[in-house]
Amino acid sequence: MRILIAEDQPAVREQLAAIVRAEAGTDIVAACANGREAVAQIVTHSPDVALLDIQMPEMTGFEVIEAVGADVMPLVIFVTAYDEHAVKAFEVHAFDYVLKPFSPARIAEALRRASRQLEVQDRATNTARLEALLRNAPDAPRTRVAVRTGRRVVFVRRENIDYVEASGNYAIIHAGGVRYQIRQTLTDIESSLGEGFARIHRARLVNLSRIREMAMAGGGEYDVVMQDGQRLRVTRLFRHILEEKLRTTP
Amino acid sequence: MRPRIAPYVLAIGGAISLLTASIATEWQSGLSAQARVNAFLLNFTYWAIWTALAPAAISLGTRVPFRRGRRVRALLIHAVAGFLFAFGHVALLTIAGTVLRALVAGSRVTPENFHFMWPGIRTHIEWGTTMYWALVAVAHAMAYREEAQARAVRAAQLEASLARAQVLALQRQLQPHFLFNTLQTISALVRGNPAAAERTIEQLGDLLRATLRSGDRTEIPLLQELEYVDHYVGIQQANLGARLDVRKDVAPDVLHALVPPLLLQPLVENAVRHGLAPKGSGGTITIDARAEGERLRLIVADDGVGAPIEEIREGVGLSNTRERLDRLYGAEHEYTVVTRRGGGLTVTMTLPLQMMRTVERRTA
């Protein structure tokens, strides 16, 4: 069983490594001190299991999952100090989570459970579970979205997003003329961005504060004109919802 | 009048009616069987009519209470109502009595048989009015009791919400994240570095004690606050494993100046968590304290990554500090946050300079 550790407290990281090493049949592929490192190492090594701390400086455990993509994430054992709200989400959606302070025995037990789980679990189950967890993550609505290109992570701030487009199982974020591809469905990203965004099309989610005006497009059709002058067609079905949201959003 | 009172009125009224009618009949000896039945019926009817009128009287009593400022109005209304009730009672009694007597005697009810009780009318009205006022009193007692219960419920609710607020405040102060992370660090140090584990436990203990006592005292000497800062930095150093330098430039004459407890520690915490921890490599926090005339100037600066100013303003640690200074000193304080280009945050505060008295200093 190939294991990755992501934990910002060095003493605790070392403690986790010692516990893992003491378990037979385990192999530590990486011990990371922050989220960015974790993303790079998960992508490089594709470990079987990740011991993932939630509160790390710069990048949270949730953002690590978001950046890597739930569909390529290993089985995750969350490690967390305290977060009432997150714990509720873990109880429902996580495969396992360990609260600090933990004993070596608790981690060892989680590792053994993970080993049994790996024999029976398919990837789809793991993906679905992590996606559900991201949807119910306590920091929604997000202030930013973690996007990975290769092994690197960039953050796109919510207010800088122009619109998001669905593209199969992916979504493409358009922000200031730059396109970022993320491994999330449009529905998932819609729910994590929260209010201030509205669909104008089955496959297009637009930032309301980036709309300059609505313009007639002939034949009873409408376009939204973005601040940079780009025109996006509004599907009839979504027009009323959009107008309602534009009216009520300050 | 609420429906749930009706059964009680009926039961009590019924009991009184039966009892008084029986007693009245027994008292009058030497009556014929016919007269006994008549006496019983008349007495029973007397009270039965009051039983029927009671809900209306109680209802009126509840609706027109003797409230401050409306007492004269209530008095007038009840005086008139009392007379009407008493008179109505006599009228009803006349009708009922006549009908009953006729029924018992097997005679017919004719207009001539109605003998309105003019002879005893004054006594009747007096009794009736008294009865009415008694019912109004009952209504007031019931309303008062209900109000007292509602007040008790409200008081209990208020107390519960206050207790909740206190728990929340304490929770915020204790900072569960910090606490649990530190416990885990201690757990990690126990085997490999017992001395460091012991030191961290001691520092955590001191800091917890300071947090728990901070509600009791409004001000402590700067010297003590600086100790809390040292404890906090010591613990975070163990947690983060990074080098955290604290440079203190404190004028000796302000070491005994009074400051609110946990004034500097949250600012240092802010600097560590948002400024230095994200750097990974640690950094330096500078604390500067000196007197400027009648004022104490405190500066907490770090060389961390900094943050957009709007995020800093919203930060919990900083806004808490700001609120407390507002409460304690009002316009007597200044508070500014400055971000340096290329990172780093500087918080400057000036407060009225108050020295701890020498007597307190010796006992402290």
Side-chain angles (χ1 to χ4, degrees):
Chain A
M1 192 162 59
R2 302 168 65 248
I3 294 167
L4 175 135
I5 297 167
E7 164 64 61
D8 66 310
Q9 288 169 263
V12 180
R13 189 163 64 242
E14 193 37 56
Q15 186 187 25
L16 282 170
I19 299 165
V20 172
R21 276 195 296 270
E23 280 297 296
T26 59
D27 181 18
I28 299 174
V29 297
C32 314
N34 58 55
R36 282 182 194 276
E37 223 181 299
V39 172
Q41 298 298 330
I42 290 170
V43 173
T44 309
H45 296 291
S46 310
D48 300 313
V49 176
L51 282 163
L52 186 61
D53 188 11
I54 297 301
Q55 302 87 16
M56 291 183 285
E58 244 193 309
M59 193 173 180
T60 70
F62 294 123
E63 285 173 332
V64 168
I65 299 172
E66 184 180 66
V68 170
D71 55 338
V72 287
M73 274 299 286
L75 189 61
V76 181
I77 299 167
F78 292 94
V79 180
T80 182
Y82 172 86
D83 200 323
E84 299 183 80
H85 310 291
V87 165
K88 271 176 209 149
F90 289 143
E91 269 169 17
V92 182
H93 304 291
F95 159 67
D96 203 354
Y97 66 96
V98 178
L99 294 173
K100 288 179 187 175
F102 53 75
S103 64
R106 176 69 187 88
I107 298 288
E109 181 205 316
L111 290 173
R112 271 169 240 148
R113 272 197 62 200
S115 154
R116 287 196 297 275
Q117 180 75 9
L118 285 172
E119 283 166 22
V120 294
Q121 178 178 283
D122 56 353
R123 177 146 288 288
T125 316
N126 193 44
T127 305
R129 198 147 39 195
L130 291 172
E131 277 170 350
L133 190 63
L134 283 184
R135 272 197 298 277
N136 293 284
D139 54 347
R142 299 291 181 76
T143 55
R144 58 186 197 176
V145 181
V147 184
R148 176 173 64 88
T149 42
R151 299 178 50 185
R152 285 193 45 244
V153 177
V154 291
F155 290 106
V156 184
R157 298 192 68 80
R158 190 172 179 272
E159 65 266 24
N160 294 338
I161 296 174
D162 295 317
Y163 63 96
V164 188
E165 220 169 4
S167 165
N169 286 330
Y170 293 80
I172 293 163
I173 296 176
H174 295 255
V178 186
R179 296 156 45 105
Y180 303 93
Q181 184 178 284
I182 52 168
R183 303 170 84 104
Q184 272 188 67
T185 65
L186 197 62
T187 311
D188 281 352
I189 191 153
E190 185 178 14
S191 71
S192 68
L193 286 173
E195 277 175 31
F197 285 79
R199 292 244 188 159
I200 55 167
H201 182 277
R202 190 179 47 77
R204 208 170 275 158
L205 181 70
V206 63
N207 185 348
L208 295 177
S209 64
R210 288 290 173 144
I211 295 176
R212 194 169 68 201
E213 58 184 313
M214 300 239 332
M216 298 248 253
E221 298 279 352
Y222 278 85
D223 284 349
V224 288
V225 183
M226 305 300 286
Q227 264 160 11
D228 61 1
Q230 192 180 359
R231 290 172 82 111
L232 301 168
R233 182 57 45 91
V234 181
T235 314
R236 219 171 281 251
L237 184 63
F238 291 101
R239 207 185 102 201
H240 294 294
I241 305 169
L242 175 68
E243 282 171 344
E244 177 66 30
K245 281 198 178 174
L246 280 172
R247 243 203 325 278
T248 54
T249 309
Chain B
M1 166 101 183
R2 282 145 296 244
R4 67 196 160 82
I5 295 172
Y8 295 103
V9 171
L10 203 67
I12 295 168
I16 293 174
S17 307
L18 280 173
L19 205 65
T20 49
S22 315
I23 291 168
T25 313
E26 286 310 309
W27 271 359
Q28 299 179 31
S29 48
L31 289 179
S32 68
Q34 177 74 58
R36 281 170 67 92
V37 172
N38 278 349
F40 181 86
L41 282 176
L42 193 68
N43 275 293
F44 183 83
T45 313
Y46 180 94
W47 285 102
I49 291 170
W50 269 123
T51 306
L53 290 176
I58 291 174
S59 171
L60 197 60
T62 316
R63 262 174 229 171
V64 189
F66 285 85
R67 231 179 249 132
R68 192 183 295 275
R70 320 198 71 172
R71 288 199 177 125
V72 177
R73 178 176 164 270
L75 193 70
L76 283 174
I77 289 174
H78 286 304
V80 173
F83 181 78
L84 289 176
F85 266 83
F87 199 83
H89 181 258
V90 178
L92 286 170
L93 190 62
T94 307
I95 296 164
T98 309
V99 170
L100 279 172
R101 265 197 300 276
L103 281 176
V104 170
S107 61
R108 286 169 45 137
V109 181
T110 56
E112 304 88 74
N113 288 346
F114 284 99
H115 300 292
F116 196 80
M117 300 175 194
W118 288 119
I121 191 72
R122 215 183 122 189
T123 324
H124 270 300
I125 295 292
E126 272 169 18
W127 268 103
T129 320
T130 312
M131 190 65 202
Y132 174 81
W133 280 98
L135 288 168
V136 169
V138 166
H140 274 76
M142 280 180 352
Y144 181 78
R145 187 165 160 256
E146 227 158 84
E147 215 172 284
Q149 270 170 350
R151 246 203 311 272
V153 169
R154 265 201 308 277
Q157 280 168 345
L158 205 68
E159 208 167 304
S161 76
L162 195 69
R164 259 200 306 280
Q166 276 170 343
V167 168
L168 281 179
L170 192 65
Q171 223 168 49
R172 239 197 332 266
Q173 274 175 17
L174 285 177
Q175 304 182 64
H177 258 131
F178 171 72
L179 186 59
F180 292 128
N181 275 326
T182 305
L183 286 174
Q184 190 61 53
T185 296
I186 294 167
S187 155
L189 291 172
V190 158
R191 285 167 206 250
N193 192 350
E198 284 159 2
R199 194 173 54 241
T200 310
I201 290 172
E202 187 180 25
Q203 287 167 331
L204 182 62
D206 283 340
L207 204 58
L208 281 179
R209 196 166 15 252
T211 304
L212 291 171
R213 283 172 67 189
S214 66
D216 305 342
R217 297 169 302 170
T218 49
E219 282 166 329
I220 58 167
L222 181 61
L223 188 69
Q224 203 173 350
E225 178 64 19
L226 290 171
E227 264 174 44
Y228 296 153
V229 169
D230 285 341
H231 294 324
Y232 176 77
V233 172
I235 293 169
Q236 281 297 48
Q237 201 147 318
N239 278 343
L240 301 171
R243 218 164 43 82
L244 300 174
D245 273 338
V246 180
R247 283 197 203 130
K248 278 178 273 189
D249 191 358
V250 180
D253 57 332
V254 295
L255 278 175
H256 291 278
L258 292 171
V259 295
L262 301 183
L263 174 72
L264 298 179
Q265 186 271 330
L267 298 178
V268 171
E269 177 179 338
N270 204 64
V272 171
R273 281 176 53 189
H274 303 296
L276 304 183
K279 265 172 78 177
S281 54
T284 306
I285 295 166
T286 315
I287 298 174
D288 182 288
R290 60 194 63 259
E292 282 183 345
E294 292 297 293
R295 308 185 62 77
L296 173 67
R297 197 194 62 188
L298 298 160
I299 299 175
V300 178
D302 68 75
D303 60 354
V305 296
I309 194 86
E310 60 273 10
E311 275 180 33
I312 290 162
R313 289 223 177 91
E314 286 163 18
V316 176
L318 296 179
S319 69
N320 275 358
T321 306
R322 181 154 222 166
E323 262 170 45
R324 284 173 67 205
L325 290 174
D326 270 338
R327 250 201 332 266
L328 282 166
Y329 305 110
E332 291 294 296
H333 81 279
E334 283 167 44
Y335 180 97
T336 55
V337 183
V338 179
T339 47
R340 269 206 310 278
R341 201 177 290 275
L345 195 70
T346 305
V347 180
T348 308
M349 294 170 288
T350 57
L351 329 167
L353 179 65
Q354 287 169 287
M355 299 304 281
M356 195 181 199
R357 284 197 303 275
T358 338
V359 184
E360 288 170 338
R361 217 181 284 177
R362 271 196 219 106
T363 53

